[in-house]
Amino acid sequence: MEKMVDTVIRRANAAPVSSHREACLVHIYPTGPWMGLRHILTDKPLIIGRGEDCDIRVLDTSVSRRHVRLEKIGEEYYVLDMQSTNGSYVNDRQSLPGEPIPMRDGDYLRVGNCIFRYLASGNVEADYHEEIYRLTIVDALTQISNTRFFNEFLEREVLRTVRHNRPLSLLLFDIDRFKQVNDQLGHLGGDFTLRELAACVKRVVRREDLFARYGGEEFALVLIETGLTDALQAAERIRSLVEAHTFRFDDKVFHLTISLGVAECPLDGTATPRELMRRADENLYTAKRGGRNKVIG
């Protein structure tokens, strides 16, 4: 993770300085050497694709040879899909051939499996560096906290719990049989599922708590000033919410279940983030081994 952050910061410092009026696209997903790379937009139409003749070349098999065209009309940039295989989306709205979609400041452009952030406000330099910082603490795919921020938050809250003798609980969960989702829907469908699940759960998370993507299909929820009884009730609400949610990808409708492990931070002064994680993770795997789609605490 530290190498990824260093790469992002180096790219931020090395990126060409734009004027305050130059809009840009920032590559935010997948993570790796291209994350944080900025593409300046001008009055000239721009094509994103896998082909060598594209203005922005993306070497990802989910991206078509000539995937999407960006064109400035008046003061706005428009997205026009070029009959790509996997589609182009502004936020969750699909661009259909012949139907250009305008982009607003802060919109997300999805090109196959890749995601760009569009920055178009008055001070693009400030927005760009703010976006670089955001990439170090937010998971680009799901738009919830990432592993790095989760670890920092959990360590801080465990110390506060020990110091002030206040309850704290940790909830870990992952998607049951997620490999089958990837096998049946492909990685684009898998990414959609993770985004949709995160959005579904995020709606019921309290402002003071922290919801994070901890691994591939693993998520964590830190429950502030919450004992085990209330944490188990919260976990059961989330389990039921996900089980009842209808997922739709292209023309496919499907349902998911999750398994959850819950642990309460001991109030005897011996608590550590690692031990709390170990106990929650152990309970999660007990739920998996016990038949899935259940809460263990």
Side-chain angles (χ1 to χ4, degrees):
M1 180 66 195
E2 293 300 328
K3 288 184 178 180
M4 181 192 75
V5 173
D6 290 343
T7 299
V8 169
I9 293 173
R10 284 199 303 272
R11 287 191 175 277
N13 292 333
V17 176
S18 69
S19 74
H20 285 201
R21 294 185 176 277
E22 286 179 323
C24 66
L25 290 178
V26 182
H27 184 118
I28 67 171
Y29 185 82
T31 58
W34 299 109
M35 195 177 81
L37 184 63
R38 173 173 51 178
H39 303 280
I40 300 298
L41 303 180
T42 66
D43 292 340
K44 177 185 175 182
L46 178 149
I47 294 176
I48 302 175
R50 209 173 65 247
E52 294 183 2
D53 59 338
C54 292
D55 301 288
I56 299 179
R57 192 180 183 198
V58 182
L59 299 179
D60 189 289
T61 55
S62 68
V63 177
S64 298
R65 195 180 69 81
R66 292 169 67 84
H67 196 111
V68 67
R69 175 188 176 100
L70 274 65
E71 185 168 353
K72 189 175 184 182
I73 303 175
E75 294 300 316
E76 295 183 327
Y77 287 93
Y78 286 75
V79 171
L80 181 63
D81 187 80
M82 302 178 71
Q83 297 183 325
S84 66
T85 300
N86 292 314
S88 308
Y89 297 81
V90 176
N91 299 324
D92 290 322
R93 180 183 173 189
Q94 185 173 8
S95 171
L96 301 175
E99 297 181 13
I101 298 177
M103 286 195 297
R104 311 299 185 199
D105 187 35
D107 278 352
Y108 294 93
L109 171 62
R110 285 197 286 124
V111 179
N113 195 43
C114 302
I115 304 175
F116 298 86
R117 186 92 184 270
Y118 173 63
L119 301 180
S121 62
N123 192 341
V124 175
E125 277 302 310
D127 289 348
Y128 174 69
H129 287 281
E130 181 179 337
E131 181 68 15
I132 293 301
Y133 169 72
R134 197 186 66 84
L135 286 175
T136 68
I137 64 173
V138 173
D139 177 63
L141 179 64
T142 60
Q143 294 302 300
I144 60 176
S145 297
N146 63 15
T147 304
R148 180 192 185 199
F149 189 73
F150 162 73
N151 287 331
E152 293 173 354
F153 185 91
L154 183 62
E155 182 172 2
R156 185 168 63 248
E157 291 305 320
V158 168
L159 289 174
R160 183 176 288 122
T161 292
V162 171
R163 184 181 304 118
H164 299 291
N165 200 38
R166 293 174 177 172
L168 177 75
S169 293
L170 174 64
L171 188 160
L172 297 180
F173 69 88
D174 70 6
I175 301 173
D176 295 330
R177 299 184 174 89
F178 183 64
K179 184 178 182 300
Q180 292 181 7
V181 175
N182 276 328
D183 290 344
Q184 293 171 10
L185 303 180
H187 288 292
L188 284 175
D191 283 354
F192 159 81
T193 301
L194 294 171
R195 283 196 305 272
E196 181 76 2
L197 174 64
C200 176
V201 174
K202 187 177 180 179
R203 289 194 292 268
V204 300
V205 174
R206 300 179 306 181
R207 291 177 61 89
E208 63 267 28
D209 297 333
L210 181 81
F211 181 37
R213 184 183 179 193
Y214 186 69
E217 68 270 21
E218 295 182 334
F219 296 84
L221 180 58
V222 183
L223 299 172
I224 306 298
E225 297 198 4
T226 304
L228 183 61
T229 299
D230 289 338
L232 288 170
Q233 292 175 356
E236 179 58 31
R237 284 196 299 270
I238 291 173
R239 187 204 64 78
S240 299
L241 178 69
V242 173
E243 184 179 34
H245 186 76
T246 299
F247 292 78
R248 291 182 175 86
F249 178 72
D250 290 340
D251 58 345
K252 299 178 179 64
V253 176
F254 60 101
H255 289 84
L256 295 175
T257 61
I258 57 174
S259 298
L260 307 95
V262 182
E264 182 181 13
C265 192
L267 299 178
D268 57 4
T270 63
T272 65
R274 176 174 293 187
E275 177 61 17
L276 186 60
M277 281 290 298
R278 186 194 67 76
R279 291 170 55 200
D281 194 55
E282 186 176 273
N283 287 336
L284 167 60
Y285 279 93
T286 299
K288 302 286 277 189
R289 290 191 298 267
R292 301 181 176 88
N293 192 25
K294 60 179 58 181
V295 174
I296 298 292

